[in-house]
Amino acid sequence: MIPDIQLQLKSVAKSLKDNVLPAVDPNNELAQQQIQLSIATLEIALNNLPLIHSVLRKDIEQHLAMAEQILATAIEQHSKKTLTQLSQKAAQVLADPQQGLTQLQHEARELRAGIGETIANNPDLTELEAIVFRFSETTVDLGRALNKPMGFEASPNDIRDVASLLNTP
C-alpha cells in the first residue's frame, strides 16, 4: 500500500482539531493560538499540495531565465562559473520528470542562492537590479497566492489564484 500524504495530513489535522485542541487549557491564550496556527498551517499545506510540484517547476523556470540574463552581463568570472553550473544543474532537474518535490526545492534554493551571491559579488552592475525587478513579479505573485489563506493580505480579492499564475508565461 502506498501511503497517501494528503490523507495522512488530513488525519493529523482532524486529530488536532478533535482531540488536542479541546484538551489545551482554554486559559492559556498562547497555547490556544499555537494549536490553531498549527492546524491552519496544515490545512494551507494540504490546499497547496496538489499544485506545489508545478509551483516549484515554475519557480525554477523563472530563476533560470533570470540567471540567463544575468550571465549575459559583465559579471566577474567566479560568479559566471558558479551561476552557469547552478543553472545547468537546475535545467537538468527540470528536464527530468522523475524529480520529486524535495529535489525541486533543493535546486530552486540553490539557484536562488547563486543568483543572490552573484548580485552581492557584482554590486556595481546596475543592470542586475533591472533584471531582478523584471522577474520578481511572478515570484512575488506566486508567494502571495500560496500564502493568501493566512489572512495577511490587505486586499485578498486582488490576489490571483495559484493555478492561473502557473499558466502565465
Side-chain angles (χ1 to χ4, degrees):
M1 181 177 129
I2 299 173
D4 181 336
I5 189 69
Q6 285 181 296
L7 181 60
Q8 290 173 334
L9 291 174
K10 284 179 185 177
S11 296
V12 170
K14 182 168 177 24
S15 177
L16 288 172
K17 277 184 193 173
D18 295 350
N19 303 305
V20 178
L21 181 59
V24 174
D25 181 357
N27 296 319
N28 186 336
E29 191 175 318
L30 179 60
Q32 284 286 326
Q33 290 172 351
Q34 290 303 305
I35 190 64
Q36 290 176 11
L37 180 62
S38 297
I39 293 167
T41 300
L42 270 173
E43 289 172 345
I44 289 169
L46 270 165
N47 289 336
N48 290 335
L49 197 57
L51 292 174
I52 201 67
H53 193 267
S54 298
V55 168
L56 287 168
R57 292 183 65 78
K58 176 83 166 186
D59 183 57
I60 293 173
E61 289 167 0
Q62 288 291 308
H63 283 89
L64 273 173
M66 183 191 307
E68 186 178 297
Q69 287 191 16
I70 290 171
L71 287 166
T73 67
I75 59 174
E76 49 91 17
Q77 285 301 11
H78 173 73
S79 293
K80 190 171 286 238
K81 179 181 176 188
T82 301
L83 193 55
T84 298
Q85 290 171 343
L86 290 169
S87 295
Q88 289 169 345
K89 179 73 171 146
Q92 288 172 352
V93 168
L94 272 183
D96 183 355
Q98 298 292 320
Q99 294 298 321
L101 180 67
T102 54
Q103 188 61 35
L104 289 170
Q105 283 178 319
H106 174 77
E107 292 309 323
R109 285 186 190 119
E110 291 289 314
L111 185 55
R112 285 191 303 266
I115 288 170
E117 183 178 310
T118 299
I119 292 166
N121 290 341
N122 296 274
D124 298 329
L125 288 177
T126 55
E127 66 258 43
L128 294 182
E129 184 177 302
I131 293 169
V132 171
F133 282 134
R134 240 188 332 273
F135 285 94
S136 64
E137 184 176 356
T138 301
T139 300
V140 170
D141 287 349
L142 274 171
R144 290 178 74 190
L146 287 166
N147 292 300
K148 179 179 167 180
M150 297 184 100
F152 297 117
E153 289 292 338
S155 301
N157 293 337
D158 295 340
I159 307 300
R160 291 175 53 196
D161 65 281
V162 176
S164 71
L165 290 168
L166 291 174
N167 295 322
T168 304

